[in-house]
Every structure is written in structure tokens, then in C-alpha cells.
């Protein structure tokens, strides 16, 4: 029910927060709200992407790629939609605790998912169907969402002008953090496409696995992650303990998952980022 997907986006917020150290003095309770907001929003939009707004908009490619999951979600589609709606309401309420306009953010996330693949493919390809754009769309969306949550969570009383000043003050950190997170999400999206390679090829969805094959796509994704780890290790912009901790756990987790090569990799990828964030938090607390 999208638990790991929700945690993945929450881990993306933690990634940027730990690297930039924004909001390090903010009360823990405020970060709980921000984390719950990210989790509820991400889980809701992921579920909505699975069951769509109507039964007749369910994606036949999902039925081919994950028949058991598709059968379950099809049977309980009305319930899942209500669950997604409930999570969106909860996200809206949590968002207003962070900002008066915070409830708008989950609605924008829903709009993004509907534009991505709100209906099955008929004629003109969707963003989901175009190679590289598919992964870039997910990468930009998650990265942008994570940065917005970080900004409003780390400065709970700042107005729009004050937030703009924060962005300008952190001009050396935030853009680079966005690039590194975006590269990581892009690579993870490529790996997640491995599970759907046969279905994507049959239904005309362009992915790196369908164009380059399983091993080459995975090696490219792993290379992106290792390059991002190298960048963290050598670019002295972020606090040294945070960047080295993230560089280290990235290398270990990347190599470990590549060597194990599970048959179904998506849940492992989704669980990896929050697990990395927890491990980095433990390392940072020991310093």
C-alpha cells in the first residue's frame, strides 16, 4: 500500500536537510510534522497513480507487470481511492500547520501525477512513456517537493520574503544538493524500471532497460550513484561529516544491492533511501 514509496520521499527530505544543515535548531516536533506531511503526500499520490481516478483509466501495463498487485488494487480500487483521499486531507491539514498555504502543495503533487500518467496511453505518449523524460519527471518532482518541505519545515515562522533570503543565502548549498538528490532519484527510477521491463516493452513505454537491457541500465544507474558519492566526497561545500557519511553509505548500499540483484527491486530501492538517512543520522549524532 505504498508504505515504502512514502518513506522514500521522506528520506529525500532528510537527505537535503542533513547535507545543508538547514533547520538544525528547529524543534523536533516541527520536523515530525514535516516528515508526516511528506509521507502522507507521497503515499497518497503513489496510490492515486496506481488506481487512477476511474476504473476505466487503470493502466493495462500494470496488469502485465504486476498481475497480483493489479488484481488486488482493481478489486479494492474504491477503497484505495478513499485511502488516498484521506491521506491527502491529512497532508493538507499538516501542511497548514507548516504554512497557511501548505494545503496547496499536495494538490499540486496530485496534478503532477495526473499529468505523468493519469490515463492509459491512447495515441500521443505520456511523460511516463518517453525514455529519460520518464525518469527526469520523477526526479524533478521529488527533488522540488523535498526542497519545498525542507524550506517550510526548517523556517516555521518565516514569511515569503524571509524564505527567499534563505534561498539566496544558501545559494552555494541548495542548488548542489538539488543536483545530487536529483541524480540519485533519477538513478533509482531507472533501477525501479527493471521490474517492468517486459511490460514496458510490450506497451510502448520507453525506459533505459527497454532500450539498453537489464544489466546495462542497472550499471548506468549504479554509475550515477557512485559519481554522486564521489562528488560528495571531494566537493568541500557541505559540512564534511554529513557529506562523507552520505558518500560512504551510498557506496555501500549501491554495491550491496547490485550484487544481490533481487528479482523484484522496487521495494528495496524505495526502502534504501530512508534507511540511508537513518544510518547517516546515527553517524551524525555520534560526531
Amino acid at each position: 500500500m505504498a508504505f515504502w514509496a512514502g518513506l522514500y520521499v521522506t528520506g529525500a527530505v532528510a537527505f537535503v536537510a542533513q547535507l545543508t544543515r538547514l533547520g538544525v535548531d528547529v524543534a523536533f516536533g516541527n520536523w515530525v510534522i514535516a516528515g508526516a506531511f511528506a509521507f502522507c503526500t507521497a503515499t497518497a499520490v503513489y496510490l492515486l497513480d496506481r488506481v487512477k481516478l476511474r476504473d476505466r483509466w487503470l493502466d493495462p501495463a500494470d496488469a502485465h507487470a504486476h498481475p497480483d498487485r493489479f488484481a488486488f488494487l482493481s478489486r479494492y480500487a474504491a477503497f484505495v481511492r478513499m485511502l488516498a483521499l484521506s491521506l491527502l486531507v491529512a497532508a493538507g491539514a499538516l501542511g497548514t500547520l507548516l504554512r497557511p498555504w501548505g494545503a496547496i502543495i499536495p494538490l499540486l503533487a496530485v496534478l503532477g501525477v495526473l499529468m505523468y500518467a493519469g490515463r492509459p496511453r491512447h495515441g500521443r505518449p505520456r511523460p511516463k512513456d518517453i525514455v529519460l523524460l520518464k525518469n527526469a519527471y520523477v526526479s524533478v518532482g521529488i527533488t522540488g517537493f523535498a526542497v519545498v518541505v525542507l524550506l517550510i519545515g526548517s523556517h516555521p515562522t518565516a514569511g515569503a520574503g524571509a524564505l527567499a533570503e534563505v534561498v539566496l543565502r544558501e545559494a552555494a548549498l541548495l542548488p548542489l544538493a538539488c543536483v545530487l538528490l536529483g541524480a540519485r532519484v533519477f538513478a533509482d527510477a531507472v533501477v525501479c524500471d527493471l521490474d517492468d521491463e517486459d511490460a514496458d516493452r510490450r506497451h510502448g513505454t520507453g525506459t533505459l532497460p527497454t532500450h539498453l537491457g537489464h544489466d546495462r541500465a542497472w550499471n548506468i544507474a549504479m554509475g550515477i550513484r557512485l559519481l554522486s558519492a564521489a562528488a560528495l566526497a571531494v566537493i568541500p561545500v557541505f559540512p564534511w561529516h554529513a557529506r562523507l557519511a552520505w558518500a560512504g553509505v551510498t557506496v555501500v548500499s549501491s554495491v550491496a544491492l547490485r550484487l544481490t540483484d533481487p528479482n523484484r527491486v522496487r521495494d528495496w530501492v524505495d526502502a534504501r533511501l530512508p534507511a540511508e538517512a537513518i544510518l547517516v543520522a546515527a553517524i551524525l549524532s555520534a560526531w
Side-chain angles (χ1 to χ4, degrees):
M1 298 300 290
F3 177 77
W4 296 118
L7 282 185
Y8 182 90
V9 177
T10 309
V13 178
F15 175 86
V16 184
Q18 289 168 343
L19 280 181
T20 61
R21 304 291 287 169
L22 285 176
V24 67
D25 298 324
V26 174
F28 177 73
N30 205 72
W31 283 119
V32 172
I33 295 173
F37 171 71
F39 177 82
C40 290
T41 302
T43 306
V45 297
Y46 185 87
L47 288 175
L48 184 60
D49 183 49
R50 297 273 70 84
V51 297
K52 313 302 181 186
L53 294 178
R54 299 181 181 181
D55 287 348
R56 61 190 179 93
W57 290 352
L58 291 171
D59 197 333
D62 289 342
H64 178 77
H66 306 279
D68 292 338
R69 184 186 72 183
F70 184 84
F72 174 82
L73 292 176
S74 298
R75 179 179 300 177
Y76 300 106
F79 168 78
V80 175
R81 291 188 190 107
M82 287 302 301
L83 177 59
L85 177 61
S86 299
L87 288 166
L88 284 173
V89 171
L94 290 165
T96 58
L97 295 177
L98 297 171
R99 279 293 184 281
W101 44 266
I104 298 175
I105 300 174
L107 298 180
L108 294 176
V110 169
L111 179 61
V113 167
L114 294 178
M115 291 174 60
Y116 175 70
R119 296 188 182 190
R121 179 176 178 174
H122 295 297
R124 188 172 62 181
R126 307 160 297 178
K128 180 180 180 179
D129 300 317
I130 303 173
V131 64
L132 297 182
L133 176 60
K134 177 182 193 292
N135 309 117
Y137 192 102
V138 173
S139 174
V140 171
I142 291 178
T143 300
F145 176 78
V147 171
V148 169
V149 174
L150 171 64
L151 288 174
I152 64 177
S154 61
H155 295 78
T157 61
L163 285 179
E165 291 180 4
V166 172
V167 173
L168 292 175
R169 187 175 68 245
E170 303 296 338
L173 291 180
L174 277 176
L176 183 55
C178 288
V179 170
L180 292 171
L181 176 60
R184 177 181 295 264
V185 176
F186 184 95
D188 288 347
V190 170
V191 176
C192 288
D193 287 337
L194 295 172
D195 287 353
D196 304 336
E197 182 179 350
D198 291 338
D200 287 341
R201 185 175 287 110
R202 175 177 297 186
H203 292 274
T205 294
T207 67
L208 285 183
T210 63
H211 280 67
L212 302 178
H214 178 281
D215 288 342
R216 188 175 296 178
W218 200 334
N219 289 339
I220 289 173
M222 183 175 173
I224 294 172
R225 284 179 58 90
L226 294 181
L227 283 174
S228 71
L232 282 168
V234 302
I235 299 177
V237 175
F238 304 108
W240 68 270
H241 48 305
R243 61 185 180 84
L244 291 183
W246 268 107
V249 299
T250 298
V251 171
V252 171
S253 66
S254 299
V255 173
L257 189 61
R258 182 67 182 94
L259 291 177
T260 55
D261 193 7
N263 290 328
R264 290 290 184 181
V265 72
R266 185 186 305 274
D267 285 346
W268 291 104
V269 171
D270 285 343
R272 178 171 59 181
L273 183 55
E276 289 171 332
I278 292 172
L279 182 56
V280 169
I283 295 172
L284 295 180
S285 67
W287 255 308

